[in-house]
Amino acid sequence: MTYNKKSVEDVSVAGRKVLVRCDFNVPLKDGVITDENRITGALPTIEYLRKNGAKIILCSHLGRPKGEFNMKYSLAPVAKRLSERLGTEVPLAADVIGPDAQAKAAALKDGDVMLIENVRFHSEEEKNDPAFAKALADLAGEGGLFVNDAFGTAHRAHASTAGVADYLPAVCGYLIQKEISIMGKALEDPARPFVAILGGAKVSDKIGVINNLIEKVDTLIIGGAMAYTFFRALGNTTGSSLCEEDKLDMALDLMAKARAKGVSFLLPVDNVIGREYKEDTTFMRIYSDSIPDGWMGLDIGEKTQELYAKTIIGAGTVVWNGPMGVSEWENFASGTRAVAKAVAESGAVSIIGGGDSAAAVEQLGFADKMTHISTGGGASLEFLEGLELPGIACLEDKE
Ligand code: AMP
């Protein structure tokens, strides 16, 4: 799926009311934002709109308030932090589409910024209810514009991510533009060799991605628990490793497809195994691709790390989603660390899907060595799967 969508730079914004869907779903602890990457990520679009004289109405979801006003999920901490970061007061409406939001939107002057409350305070948001979408669009009103800059929810057809585009002209912000241009290029015209690294818990979560990437990559590297489903499909023992018994045929089909396409399909050749699924479990390395009874595979071994690193270092493009082992636990983090290091050193165009792999890269201090760390785990997976993302499909195409 390639997108050639209009961005904020392709339309006039001066004097217009612009409803901007951001991803302000930040982690909070006792009302304090513990990681403000998402706020930082939203600033370029907001600053562009301010500089160009738009009247800016920001909206986002935060957490899962289940369709009710619940101040635990209020965007108040975001409004406060945004005010500090932008150096201008960003008032927060007490409601989403109610009288306060309407009054504050009506009072906006050119360059002003406001935030409405959590769109998920209304159950109509996730149902993509047309009346709710229209009420959101009406905040921008006649002559208004919708800007979607929330890549993390672009795979959801919700009122504030897609529905509003039925009532307002719609373009993307810088964040979405960057996501679709870098990932789009990797899928359509990658620097080769193109290597995809897939890890994580389940093959079943990533069948679509593997299927789509087999059509495009030169090498597919498999790690994480999903490797054990492939092991079992090949007739190896897997002990008590996480293994999807009902996906063995599919695993064989995927490997056959890779063979038919000339894609090299790499599985671990050695493993770190533990007695139990516990952080402090007894563990050891085994120089085998079979896991003995009473043990479970929890990370890739050193030989595999070397083999994978060598392949990654020679790549032109790398796409990575999912850890190589239980990287949350130090004893089983070295595979993920080795892969992160290799990607950082590869000099390849490197794209990190969100979630655990992005967290690992950041935690290890490699973030600035990557070409792109996606801001949406689920959305980037669906993008790599070749699926249409409703929050992007609804935007206007460039002529
Ligand atoms: P995913 O969300 O599918 O990318 O999976 C990430 C999760 O997979 C992380 O929480 C890891 O701890 C887990 N994981 C990776 N390797 C293994 C493994 N060998 N056994 C159990 N869980 C694993």
Side-chain angles (χ1 to χ4, degrees):
M1 179 68 50
T2 45
Y3 294 105
N4 192 18
K5 296 295 182 183
K6 282 188 185 169
S7 82
V8 280
E9 291 185 13
D10 298 315
V11 287
S12 75
V13 299
R16 282 175 100 172
K17 284 207 184 94
V18 183
L19 177 72
V20 188
R21 177 53 157 102
C22 298
D23 180 2
F24 292 140
N25 186 27
V26 292
L28 287 170
K29 192 158 194 284
D30 304 325
V32 177
I33 299 169
T34 55
D35 176 350
E36 60 180 61
N37 271 341
R38 287 185 167 154
I39 292 184
T40 308
L43 295 179
T45 297
I46 301 171
E47 273 162 352
Y48 174 87
L49 292 171
R50 277 190 78 200
K51 201 171 77 201
N52 287 281
K55 302 177 172 79
I56 305 156
I57 306 158
L58 305 175
C59 68
S60 176
H61 78 284
L62 173 67
R64 296 172 194 268
K66 306 211 172 95
E68 286 171 10
F69 274 71
N70 176 345
M71 286 308 136
K72 191 175 147 205
Y73 300 104
S74 168
L75 284 165
V78 173
K80 180 166 172 286
R81 194 65 192 119
L82 266 177
S83 304
E84 291 161 2
R85 294 292 300 272
L86 289 168
T88 185
E89 176 68 13
V90 178
L92 173 68
D95 47 28
V96 183
I97 49 168
D100 195 41
Q102 290 171 18
K104 284 193 164 64
L108 288 172
K109 300 196 180 57
D110 293 357
D112 280 355
V113 188
M114 65 171 283
L115 178 62
I116 57 173
E117 258 300 2
N118 191 338
V119 286
R120 289 196 191 164
F121 283 175
H122 289 261
S123 60
E124 297 92 327
E125 161 67 3
E126 290 185 74
K127 291 183 195 141
N128 195 7
D129 176 76
F132 180 69
K134 176 154 192 321
L136 281 171
D138 284 347
L139 294 173
E142 191 80 11
L145 177 71
F146 171 57
V147 173
N148 193 4
D149 211 20
F151 185 72
T153 46
H155 58 316
R156 307 269 181 239
H158 293 169
S160 72
T161 63
V164 282
D166 288 341
Y167 306 100
L168 287 173
V171 302
C172 64
Y174 290 116
L175 248 182
I176 284 198
Q177 189 186 39
K178 183 173 178 226
E179 296 271 4
I180 59 181
S181 69
I182 294 182
M183 287 203 278
K185 167 118 175 53
L187 292 185
E188 295 310 318
D189 180 24
R192 294 197 179 267
F194 182 7
V195 177
I197 312 162
L198 296 173
K202 291 184 178 166
V203 184
S204 51
D205 287 347
K206 298 190 182 161
I207 300 167
V209 181
I210 299 175
N211 227 337
N212 192 39
L213 288 180
I214 284 178
E215 305 282 343
K216 312 194 181 263
V217 300
D218 301 293
T219 302
L220 202 55
I221 288 179
I222 302 287
M226 80 158 92
Y228 306 117
T229 301
F230 289 103
F231 276 14
R232 183 79 66 88
L234 290 168
N236 298 10
T237 59
T238 52
S240 45
S241 308
L242 201 61
C243 176
E244 289 171 276
E245 298 285 348
D246 57 336
K247 295 287 178 294
L248 302 185
D249 286 344
M250 188 213 65
L252 285 174
D253 287 349
L254 289 172
M255 287 186 280
K257 185 171 169 189
R259 238 184 345 265
K261 297 261 169 205
V263 171
S264 77
F265 193 95
L266 303 185
L267 286 168
V269 294
D270 62 345
N271 293 277
V272 179
I273 58 175
R275 276 279 179 208
E276 288 172 274
Y277 186 73
K278 256 173 59 183
E279 185 162 11
D280 59 354
T281 189
T282 309
F283 69 100
M284 64 176 181
R285 289 173 208 290
I286 50 160
Y287 297 94
S288 163
D289 57 4
S290 287
I291 315 290
D293 270 356
W295 294 84
M296 58 176 68
L298 294 172
D299 196 8
I300 57 173
E302 270 168 29
K303 274 263 162 296
T304 308
Q305 292 174 26
E306 273 170 37
L307 175 76
Y308 286 4
K310 216 158 97 196
T311 307
I312 293 163
I313 298 278
T317 305
V318 179
V319 168
W320 179 19
N321 184 294
M324 297 290 100
V326 187
S327 56
E328 304 92 316
W329 297 338
E330 180 51 35
N331 290 341
F332 309 107
S334 73
T336 302
R337 204 177 290 140
V339 162
K341 185 161 176 286
V343 178
E345 288 170 357
S346 66
V349 173
S350 49
I351 298 169
I352 315 298
D356 292 295
S357 15
V361 161
E362 263 157 36
Q363 198 199 335
L364 295 165
F366 292 129
D368 60 348
K369 299 254 174 29
M370 306 298 170
T371 311
H372 182 61
I373 299 181
S374 177
T375 52
S380 67
L381 269 183
E382 292 200 14
F383 193 99
L384 296 174
E385 215 170 318
L387 298 177
E388 181 175 276
L389 307 188
I392 296 175
C394 70
L395 307 177
E396 290 180 8
D397 289 314
K398 280 193 185 178
E399 273 102 48

mmCIF file with all atom_site columns, all heavy atoms in Angstrom, residues 230-244:
data_model
loop_
_atom_site.group_PDB
_atom_site.id
_atom_site.type_symbol
_atom_site.label_atom_id
_atom_site.label_alt_id
_atom_site.label_comp_id
_atom_site.label_asym_id
_atom_site.label_entity_id
_atom_site.label_seq_id
_atom_site.pdbx_PDB_ins_code
_atom_site.Cartn_x
_atom_site.Cartn_y
_atom_site.Cartn_z
_atom_site.occupancy
_atom_site.B_iso_or_equiv
_atom_site.pdbx_formal_charge
_atom_site.auth_seq_id
_atom_site.auth_comp_id
_atom_site.auth_asym_id
_atom_site.auth_atom_id
_atom_site.pdbx_PDB_model_num
ATOM 1   N N   . PHE A 1 230 ? 8.114  -22.522 14.477 1.00 0.00 ? 230 PHE A N   1
ATOM 2   C CA  . PHE A 1 230 ? 8.785  -22.996 13.261 1.00 0.00 ? 230 PHE A CA  1
ATOM 3   C C   . PHE A 1 230 ? 9.633  -24.238 13.567 1.00 0.00 ? 230 PHE A C   1
ATOM 4   O O   . PHE A 1 230 ? 9.657  -25.183 12.779 1.00 0.00 ? 230 PHE A O   1
ATOM 5   C CB  . PHE A 1 230 ? 9.637  -21.878 12.652 1.00 0.00 ? 230 PHE A CB  1
ATOM 6   C CG  . PHE A 1 230 ? 8.830  -20.777 12.040 1.00 0.00 ? 230 PHE A CG  1
ATOM 7   C CD1 . PHE A 1 230 ? 8.655  -19.562 12.689 1.00 0.00 ? 230 PHE A CD1 1
ATOM 8   C CD2 . PHE A 1 230 ? 8.203  -20.959 10.805 1.00 0.00 ? 230 PHE A CD2 1
ATOM 9   C CE1 . PHE A 1 230 ? 7.888  -18.553 12.130 1.00 0.00 ? 230 PHE A CE1 1
ATOM 10  C CE2 . PHE A 1 230 ? 7.435  -19.957 10.225 1.00 0.00 ? 230 PHE A CE2 1
ATOM 11  C CZ  . PHE A 1 230 ? 7.279  -18.744 10.901 1.00 0.00 ? 230 PHE A CZ  1
ATOM 12  N N   . PHE A 1 231 ? 10.312 -24.223 14.716 1.00 0.00 ? 231 PHE A N   1
ATOM 13  C CA  . PHE A 1 231 ? 11.106 -25.408 15.113 1.00 0.00 ? 231 PHE A CA  1
ATOM 14  C C   . PHE A 1 231 ? 10.227 -26.656 15.107 1.00 0.00 ? 231 PHE A C   1
ATOM 15  O O   . PHE A 1 231 ? 10.564 -27.688 14.540 1.00 0.00 ? 231 PHE A O   1
ATOM 16  C CB  . PHE A 1 231 ? 11.639 -25.243 16.545 1.00 0.00 ? 231 PHE A CB  1
ATOM 17  C CG  . PHE A 1 231 ? 12.928 -24.453 16.663 1.00 0.00 ? 231 PHE A CG  1
ATOM 18  C CD1 . PHE A 1 231 ? 13.408 -23.686 15.627 1.00 0.00 ? 231 PHE A CD1 1
ATOM 19  C CD2 . PHE A 1 231 ? 13.661 -24.492 17.841 1.00 0.00 ? 231 PHE A CD2 1
ATOM 20  C CE1 . PHE A 1 231 ? 14.596 -22.962 15.757 1.00 0.00 ? 231 PHE A CE1 1
ATOM 21  C CE2 . PHE A 1 231 ? 14.844 -23.774 17.986 1.00 0.00 ? 231 PHE A CE2 1
ATOM 22  C CZ  . PHE A 1 231 ? 15.308 -23.008 16.941 1.00 0.00 ? 231 PHE A CZ  1
ATOM 23  N N   . ARG A 1 232 ? 9.086  -26.517 15.794 1.00 0.00 ? 232 ARG A N   1
ATOM 24  C CA  . ARG A 1 232 ? 8.202  -27.684 15.936 1.00 0.00 ? 232 ARG A CA  1
ATOM 25  C C   . ARG A 1 232 ? 7.693  -28.136 14.566 1.00 0.00 ? 232 ARG A C   1
ATOM 26  O O   . ARG A 1 232 ? 7.623  -29.334 14.276 1.00 0.00 ? 232 ARG A O   1
ATOM 27  C CB  . ARG A 1 232 ? 7.045  -27.336 16.866 1.00 0.00 ? 232 ARG A CB  1
ATOM 28  C CG  . ARG A 1 232 ? 6.097  -28.493 17.137 1.00 0.00 ? 232 ARG A CG  1
ATOM 29  C CD  . ARG A 1 232 ? 6.640  -29.475 18.168 1.00 0.00 ? 232 ARG A CD  1
ATOM 30  N NE  . ARG A 1 232 ? 6.738  -28.824 19.459 1.00 0.00 ? 232 ARG A NE  1
ATOM 31  C CZ  . ARG A 1 232 ? 5.757  -28.767 20.352 1.00 0.00 ? 232 ARG A CZ  1
ATOM 32  N NH1 . ARG A 1 232 ? 4.622  -29.360 20.112 1.00 0.00 ? 232 ARG A NH1 1
ATOM 33  N NH2 . ARG A 1 232 ? 5.908  -28.116 21.483 1.00 0.00 ? 232 ARG A NH2 1
ATOM 34  N N   . ALA A 1 233 ? 7.355  -27.146 13.736 1.00 0.00 ? 233 ALA A N   1
ATOM 35  C CA  . ALA A 1 233 ? 6.859  -27.495 12.398 1.00 0.00 ? 233 ALA A CA  1
ATOM 36  C C   . ALA A 1 233 ? 7.915  -28.290 11.638 1.00 0.00 ? 233 ALA A C   1
ATOM 37  O O   . ALA A 1 233 ? 7.592  -29.166 10.832 1.00 0.00 ? 233 ALA A O   1
ATOM 38  C CB  . ALA A 1 233 ? 6.498  -26.219 11.643 1.00 0.00 ? 233 ALA A CB  1
ATOM 39  N N   . LEU A 1 234 ? 9.184  -28.013 11.931 1.00 0.00 ? 234 LEU A N   1
ATOM 40  C CA  . LEU A 1 234 ? 10.274 -28.721 11.241 1.00 0.00 ? 234 LEU A CA  1
ATOM 41  C C   . LEU A 1 234 ? 10.591 -30.065 11.908 1.00 0.00 ? 234 LEU A C   1
ATOM 42  O O   . LEU A 1 234 ? 11.515 -30.774 11.491 1.00 0.00 ? 234 LEU A O   1
ATOM 43  C CB  . LEU A 1 234 ? 11.530 -27.836 11.236 1.00 0.00 ? 234 LEU A CB  1
ATOM 44  C CG  . LEU A 1 234 ? 11.451 -26.606 10.330 1.00 0.00 ? 234 LEU A CG  1
ATOM 45  C CD1 . LEU A 1 234 ? 12.600 -25.642 10.622 1.00 0.00 ? 234 LEU A CD1 1
ATOM 46  C CD2 . LEU A 1 234 ? 11.440 -27.008 8.855  1.00 0.00 ? 234 LEU A CD2 1
ATOM 47  N N   . GLY A 1 235 ? 9.870  -30.388 12.963 1.00 0.00 ? 235 GLY A N   1
ATOM 48  C CA  . GLY A 1 235 ? 10.065 -31.688 13.622 1.00 0.00 ? 235 GLY A CA  1
ATOM 49  C C   . GLY A 1 235 ? 11.048 -31.647 14.780 1.00 0.00 ? 235 GLY A C   1
ATOM 50  O O   . GLY A 1 235 ? 11.372 -32.696 15.352 1.00 0.00 ? 235 GLY A O   1
ATOM 51  N N   . ASN A 1 236 ? 11.532 -30.448 15.144 1.00 0.00 ? 236 ASN A N   1
ATOM 52  C CA  . ASN A 1 236 ? 12.440 -30.353 16.296 1.00 0.00 ? 236 ASN A CA  1
ATOM 53  C C   . ASN A 1 236 ? 11.635 -30.421 17.595 1.00 0.00 ? 236 ASN A C   1
ATOM 54  O O   . ASN A 1 236 ? 10.452 -30.108 17.612 1.00 0.00 ? 236 ASN A O   1
ATOM 55  C CB  . ASN A 1 236 ? 13.196 -29.016 16.298 1.00 0.00 ? 236 ASN A CB  1
ATOM 56  C CG  . ASN A 1 236 ? 14.075 -28.858 15.080 1.00 0.00 ? 236 ASN A CG  1
ATOM 57  O OD1 . ASN A 1 236 ? 13.989 -29.640 14.146 1.00 0.00 ? 236 ASN A OD1 1
ATOM 58  N ND2 . ASN A 1 236 ? 14.902 -27.847 15.088 1.00 0.00 ? 236 ASN A ND2 1
ATOM 59  N N   . THR A 1 237 ? 12.327 -30.752 18.678 1.00 0.00 ? 237 THR A N   1
ATOM 60  C CA  . THR A 1 237 ? 11.648 -30.701 19.978 1.00 0.00 ? 237 THR A CA  1
ATOM 61  C C   . THR A 1 237 ? 11.695 -29.259 20.473 1.00 0.00 ? 237 THR A C   1
ATOM 62  O O   . THR A 1 237 ? 12.627 -28.505 20.163 1.00 0.00 ? 237 THR A O   1
ATOM 63  C CB  . THR A 1 237 ? 12.346 -31.607 21.011 1.00 0.00 ? 237 THR A CB  1
ATOM 64  O OG1 . THR A 1 237 ? 13.700 -31.181 21.157 1.00 0.00 ? 237 THR A OG1 1
ATOM 65  C CG2 . THR A 1 237 ? 12.291 -33.060 20.595 1.00 0.00 ? 237 THR A CG2 1
ATOM 66  N N   . THR A 1 238 ? 10.688 -28.873 21.271 1.00 0.00 ? 238 THR A N   1
ATOM 67  C CA  . THR A 1 238 ? 10.658 -27.494 21.768 1.00 0.00 ? 238 THR A CA  1
ATOM 68  C C   . THR A 1 238 ? 10.428 -27.443 23.280 1.00 0.00 ? 238 THR A C   1
ATOM 69  O O   . THR A 1 238 ? 10.203 -26.355 23.829 1.00 0.00 ? 238 THR A O   1
ATOM 70  C CB  . THR A 1 238 ? 9.576  -26.660 21.042 1.00 0.00 ? 238 THR A CB  1
ATOM 71  O OG1 . THR A 1 238 ? 8.332  -27.357 21.113 1.00 0.00 ? 238 THR A OG1 1
ATOM 72  C CG2 . THR A 1 238 ? 9.930  -26.432 19.601 1.00 0.00 ? 238 THR A CG2 1
ATOM 73  N N   . GLY A 1 239 ? 10.464 -28.598 23.955 1.00 0.00 ? 239 GLY A N   1
ATOM 74  C CA  . GLY A 1 239 ? 10.284 -28.612 25.412 1.00 0.00 ? 239 GLY A CA  1
ATOM 75  C C   . GLY A 1 239 ? 9.008  -27.909 25.807 1.00 0.00 ? 239 GLY A C   1
ATOM 76  O O   . GLY A 1 239 ? 7.960  -28.115 25.188 1.00 0.00 ? 239 GLY A O   1
ATOM 77  N N   . SER A 1 240 ? 9.125  -27.023 26.805 1.00 0.00 ? 240 SER A N   1
ATOM 78  C CA  . SER A 1 240 ? 7.918  -26.291 27.223 1.00 0.00 ? 240 SER A CA  1
ATOM 79  C C   . SER A 1 240 ? 7.911  -24.852 26.677 1.00 0.00 ? 240 SER A C   1
ATOM 80  O O   . SER A 1 240 ? 7.243  -23.974 27.225 1.00 0.00 ? 240 SER A O   1
ATOM 81  C CB  . SER A 1 240 ? 7.820  -26.288 28.751 1.00 0.00 ? 240 SER A CB  1
ATOM 82  O OG  . SER A 1 240 ? 9.091  -25.978 29.317 1.00 0.00 ? 240 SER A OG  1
ATOM 83  N N   . SER A 1 241 ? 8.646  -24.623 25.599 1.00 0.00 ? 241 SER A N   1
ATOM 84  C CA  . SER A 1 241 ? 8.654  -23.292 24.972 1.00 0.00 ? 241 SER A CA  1
ATOM 85  C C   . SER A 1 241 ? 7.253  -22.910 24.525 1.00 0.00 ? 241 SER A C   1
ATOM 86  O O   . SER A 1 241 ? 6.436  -23.781 24.196 1.00 0.00 ? 241 SER A O   1
ATOM 87  C CB  . SER A 1 241 ? 9.525  -23.287 23.709 1.00 0.00 ? 241 SER A CB  1
ATOM 88  O OG  . SER A 1 241 ? 10.804 -23.792 23.966 1.00 0.00 ? 241 SER A OG  1
ATOM 89  N N   . LEU A 1 242 ? 7.019  -21.604 24.479 1.00 0.00 ? 242 LEU A N   1
ATOM 90  C CA  . LEU A 1 242 ? 5.776  -21.107 23.904 1.00 0.00 ? 242 LEU A CA  1
ATOM 91  C C   . LEU A 1 242 ? 5.733  -21.569 22.450 1.00 0.00 ? 242 LEU A C   1
ATOM 92  O O   . LEU A 1 242 ? 6.683  -21.354 21.706 1.00 0.00 ? 242 LEU A O   1
ATOM 93  C CB  . LEU A 1 242 ? 5.810  -19.570 23.962 1.00 0.00 ? 242 LEU A CB  1
ATOM 94  C CG  . LEU A 1 242 ? 4.501  -18.814 23.887 1.00 0.00 ? 242 LEU A CG  1
ATOM 95  C CD1 . LEU A 1 242 ? 3.600  -19.189 25.058 1.00 0.00 ? 242 LEU A CD1 1
ATOM 96  C CD2 . LEU A 1 242 ? 4.794  -17.310 23.929 1.00 0.00 ? 242 LEU A CD2 1
ATOM 97  N N   . CYS A 1 243 ? 4.659  -22.258 22.078 1.00 0.00 ? 243 CYS A N   1
ATOM 98  C CA  . CYS A 1 243 ? 4.601  -22.818 20.725 1.00 0.00 ? 243 CYS A CA  1
ATOM 99  C C   . CYS A 1 243 ? 3.137  -22.890 20.322 1.00 0.00 ? 243 CYS A C   1
ATOM 100 O O   . CYS A 1 243 ? 2.301  -23.329 21.111 1.00 0.00 ? 243 CYS A O   1
ATOM 101 C CB  . CYS A 1 243 ? 5.232  -24.213 20.756 1.00 0.00 ? 243 CYS A CB  1
ATOM 102 S SG  . CYS A 1 243 ? 5.127  -25.082 19.202 1.00 0.00 ? 243 CYS A SG  1
ATOM 103 N N   . GLU A 1 244 ? 2.829  -22.443 19.122 1.00 0.00 ? 244 GLU A N   1
ATOM 104 C CA  . GLU A 1 244 ? 1.431  -22.481 18.686 1.00 0.00 ? 244 GLU A CA  1
ATOM 105 C C   . GLU A 1 244 ? 1.189  -23.748 17.854 1.00 0.00 ? 244 GLU A C   1
ATOM 106 O O   . GLU A 1 244 ? 1.433  -23.758 16.652 1.00 0.00 ? 244 GLU A O   1
ATOM 107 C CB  . GLU A 1 244 ? 1.105  -21.216 17.890 1.00 0.00 ? 244 GLU A CB  1
ATOM 108 C CG  . GLU A 1 244 ? 1.048  -19.977 18.754 1.00 0.00 ? 244 GLU A CG  1
ATOM 109 C CD  . GLU A 1 244 ? 0.943  -18.705 17.922 1.00 0.00 ? 244 GLU A CD  1
ATOM 110 O OE1 . GLU A 1 244 ? 1.977  -18.201 17.473 1.00 0.00 ? 244 GLU A OE1 1
ATOM 111 O OE2 . GLU A 1 244 ? -0.187 -18.240 17.712 1.00 0.00 ? 244 GLU A OE2 1
#
